Every structure is written in C-alpha cells, then in structure tokens.
Amino acid sequence: MKKNLLSIITAITVVGSVLAGCGSTGSSDNEAAVKNEAAAETAEAENNDTNNEEADSISEDSSTAETESEEAASDSDEASQFPITIKHAFGETVIESEPTRIVTLSWGNQDPILALGVVPVGVSAANFGLMTENKLHPWTDDAFKALGETAPNVFNDETGWDYEAIAASEPDVIIASYSGFTEEEYNLLSEIAPVVPYLETAWKTNWREQTITNATAIGKKAEGEALVAEADAQIKEKLAEYPSLEGKTAGYFWISQDDMSTFYAYLPSDPRASFLNDLGFATPQSILNLATSTDDFSVTISRENTELLNDVDILVAYGDQGLLEAMQADPLMSQIPAVKNGAVVLIDSTSSLAASANPSILSIPYALDDYLVLLDEAASKITE
C-alpha cells in the first residue's frame, strides 16, 4: 500500500561532542613525570571518546527505534479503524481494510485524496474550466506532480462512466461523494469495488463534506478534518483584507446571453452558492423564498419575475462583458440592482475560476485571491 505521504518522519540525530582538556600540574619534579601524566591524560581522553561514541550510537539506535515504534503505532491506529461503514443515499458501504488502490469519479473527488498525500490509481477527467494537457484542473495536476506522478490515469468519462477502464485500474474503493450517480450506476460500479457516493442528495455535497467523507473512506478522517480547519483559517485571514464585502448579499446564477427568458439561481445547497456564504455573503432572501418550492440545487426564474430579485447586491454568473451589456439593455433584467449598478462578477467558463468557484480543498488556496479581488471590485459598484 502507498504510505501516507503527509506523515512527517523526523530523523533524530544525536551528535556527541567530546571536550578533552589537558590539565597542568603547575610544577613537576622531572620531565619524565610530565610525559607520563600527559600520556595518561591522552589515554583517558581517547577512552572518553570511545565511550561517548558508544553512547551516541546507543542514543541514535534508541531514537531510531522510538521513531519506528511511533510510526508502527500510527499505522496500527490507522488500520484499527477498519472495517469502516459509510451510510449514503443508496444504503451503506463497508470498507473492510485500508484501501491501497483508490479510484475517484466525478467532480473534484480526487483533490482531498491528493491533499492527504495519496495518489489515486484513476480519476475522472475535468469537464469544465481551465484544464491541463492531462485533462485535469491545474491544482489537481500540480498535486499529482508534487507526489511524483506526471502521467496520472485519467478516465475519459465526460459522457458516461468507462466501466472497463475503471475495472482495469483494480480499485479497492471508488470514491465519489460529490456526484450525481443514479442507483443503477451505483450498483454497476459496486460490482467492481465498494463505492462511496453522495451521502444524501445528488450534487449537494460541499467542499467540507467532500473532504471529510473522502478522507474517512481511506481511514484518514482526522487528517481530513485538519485540512478543512486549515482552509477555514485561510479564508478567514483573507476575508479580513476585504472589509467592503461584509454585510452584502450575493447570488450565483446561470444566465444565457442568447435566451434570457428563463435563467437559474443556485441555491445554498449548491457548492457554488454555499462558497459565497463561506466568503461572508448572505444569500438574498428572494432566492431563499424561491428555494422553498424545490429540492433541487438550483431554481428556475422567469424573466418576468426579475422584480423578485431586488435584494441582490452582487450577481455572479458565467459569461463575459457581452452578457452584462445584454442584461443592462434588457428592460426587465436591468432592474436587478446588481445588474443596474454593474456589480456583477463575470466568470469565463474556460478560466481556472470557472472551476474553482465550485471549490475543492485544493482549489481554494489556488484561486481564492483571484475570486476575492473580483468580488471586491463588484462590491465597490454597489449604490444604496
């Protein structure tokens, strides 16, 4: 099995130093006596050197044994967590022993595994936003390279699961806590290996839940919780630099420039909208009111009902300047306060932010600064 690359192995080296000094008798009766005394001191010093070296060797052996003992205890503690049972939307999955070959499917599920220092044997290709030549988001590719993997096994599963390729990777577990599996897909994948799908509802797993669930599946729940705490601390620290965002509302939308007759607002159960909450924004009450009528992660809004969105301070949407110009030219869309003021964050669908706005434990440190800069620029355009 691949060892936990986040374990810090500290080599303790004990360096012995021998302080040998030549004493002086102050006077001597004859030269022979002086020579005899010097010879005796030299012999004693050499003997001390030998004893100190032996002591150093014993100390080093003891330190090494102690380190190895601690590592063994850690491995034992990790192994003792198994079997692990994870309850989810389709029942429960039992992982009998610590998995050594991990496959992740769907959006971002490989990132917590990589952040824990483990290299998956197969992952889904990225299907939105900026992608590298390995068909991965840049933060994912960087994490693979940092762990020594320059040619990861990436499934071409954008139009459906490649069951043959997944099976060929011989996984011990398949992890997809943020996904939209059907029960049929879950059952088919379960014939290959134990599967960890979404826990309750398709596409409603936020980055914290994804990180901790995926970490739990490989016996590293505590480490996953530590990663979440670290990311939360980073977000808090960064937000302190943007006081203008405090007290504002923000909504995340999908709006087509070619057809604005209906558009979509992501609800707080969607990771994109909940990430705006993480960044200190309140979800507009108008969107929350609409959310009472659906269990989906988004709500459809008719162009004729845009007056309901009179409490949207900042609007975030995929698109470019052309989208903003089209909305501002439309007699109804232009009445949304954020649109009227130009307090709009436009995210190019081919950019790294397009993917990182739907965050993972690795994308947050990669793109948080860029996102906050754009949100701050939008906030500066808000008028009372």
Side-chain angles (χ1 to χ4, degrees):
M1 166 180 189
K2 294 187 184 296
K3 298 295 182 183
N4 180 4
L5 299 182
L6 287 187
S7 296
I8 301 175
I9 303 174
T10 305
I12 303 175
T13 305
V14 179
V15 180
S17 60
V18 179
L19 300 179
C22 292
S24 173
T25 62
S27 64
S28 62
D29 292 334
N30 55 59
E31 184 178 2
V34 173
K35 289 181 179 180
N36 288 338
E37 183 178 348
E41 290 177 350
T42 300
E44 182 180 356
E46 290 174 350
N47 185 55
N48 286 341
D49 285 345
T50 301
N51 289 338
N52 284 336
E53 288 172 0
E54 291 175 353
D56 289 345
S57 177
I58 292 171
S59 179
E60 289 175 358
D61 291 343
S62 175
S63 297
T64 301
E66 183 179 349
T67 301
E68 291 175 349
S69 176
E70 290 173 353
E71 290 173 5
S74 176
D75 289 344
S76 177
D77 289 344
E78 195 170 278
S80 68
Q81 299 179 44
F82 293 89
I84 288 174
T85 300
I86 298 179
K87 295 181 180 180
H88 51 72
F90 303 118
E92 62 181 37
T93 294
V94 178
I95 304 170
E96 296 290 351
S97 58
E98 186 178 359
T100 62
R101 298 182 62 81
I102 300 161
V103 158
T104 68
L105 299 178
S106 201
W107 185 273
N109 287 296
Q110 71 287 334
D111 287 357
I113 306 302
L114 289 162
L116 291 164
V118 179
V119 178
V121 297
V123 302
S124 287
N127 58 16
F128 188 68
L130 181 64
M131 290 170 271
T132 68
E133 60 183 9
N134 285 328
K135 302 188 75 174
L136 298 171
H137 293 133
W139 48 87
T140 301
D141 219 343
D142 287 349
F144 267 115
K145 291 174 182 176
L147 294 172
E149 180 58 77
T150 58
N153 181 24
V154 180
F155 304 128
N156 293 316
D157 54 11
E158 295 96 328
T159 58
W161 307 121
D162 189 340
Y163 294 100
E164 184 176 349
I166 294 168
S169 65
E170 301 180 345
D172 297 326
V173 67
I174 298 170
I175 300 176
S177 63
Y178 180 46
S179 61
F181 285 164
T182 65
E183 188 166 9
E184 180 183 9
E185 290 171 326
Y186 168 76
N187 290 334
L188 287 171
L189 290 166
S190 294
E191 294 179 10
I192 299 173
V195 180
V196 180
Y198 52 88
L199 302 188
E200 294 183 4
T201 309
W203 302 119
K204 285 189 177 182
T205 308
N206 65 41
W207 66 270
R208 292 182 184 85
E209 295 165 337
Q210 180 188 54
T211 300
I212 294 173
T213 300
N214 294 8
T216 299
I218 63 172
K220 301 183 186 299
K221 181 179 180 180
E223 292 94 323
E225 291 172 337
L227 288 174
V228 168
E230 183 180 348
D232 276 328
Q234 182 184 26
I235 291 170
K236 183 178 179 180
E237 179 182 356
K238 292 292 184 181
L239 282 178
E241 301 174 13
Y242 296 92
S244 64
L245 304 183
E246 187 175 351
K248 304 298 189 299
T249 66
Y252 207 121
F253 296 81
W254 181 283
I255 304 170
S256 170
Q257 181 178 339
D258 299 325
D259 181 8
M260 293 186 289
S261 59
T262 58
F263 54 98
Y264 307 93
Y266 293 107
L267 301 176
S269 56
D270 181 86
R272 283 160 285 208
S274 67
F275 192 40
L276 286 174
N277 296 152
D278 293 339
L279 300 181
F281 294 100
T283 301
Q285 187 61 44
S286 58
I287 294 176
L288 294 177
N289 293 340
L290 292 168
T292 61
S293 62
T294 180
D295 292 327
D296 205 349
F297 59 85
S298 66
V299 63
T300 303
I301 302 173
S302 171
R303 173 176 167 275
E304 283 71 28
N305 292 327
T306 51
E307 74 277 1
L308 298 174
L309 303 175
N310 59 7
D311 56 350
V312 179
D313 292 331
I314 295 175
L315 185 150
V316 182
Y318 299 108
D320 55 23
Q321 188 64 25
L323 174 61
L324 177 57
E325 292 172 357
M327 289 191 294
Q328 289 180 328
D330 185 272
L332 295 179
M333 296 293 286
S334 61
Q335 297 309 304
I336 300 172
V339 175
K340 182 185 299 184
N341 298 327
V344 175
V345 174
L346 297 165
I347 299 179
D348 184 340
S349 61
T350 64
S351 68
S352 61
L353 188 55
S356 61
N358 187 346
S360 75
I361 195 66
L362 290 181
S363 73
I364 290 172
Y366 186 95
L368 180 58
D369 284 324
D370 292 340
Y371 202 10
L372 288 174
V373 166
L374 293 178
L375 289 164
D376 187 55
E377 290 175 355
S380 70
K381 300 175 183 177
I382 296 173
T383 59
E384 298 299 332

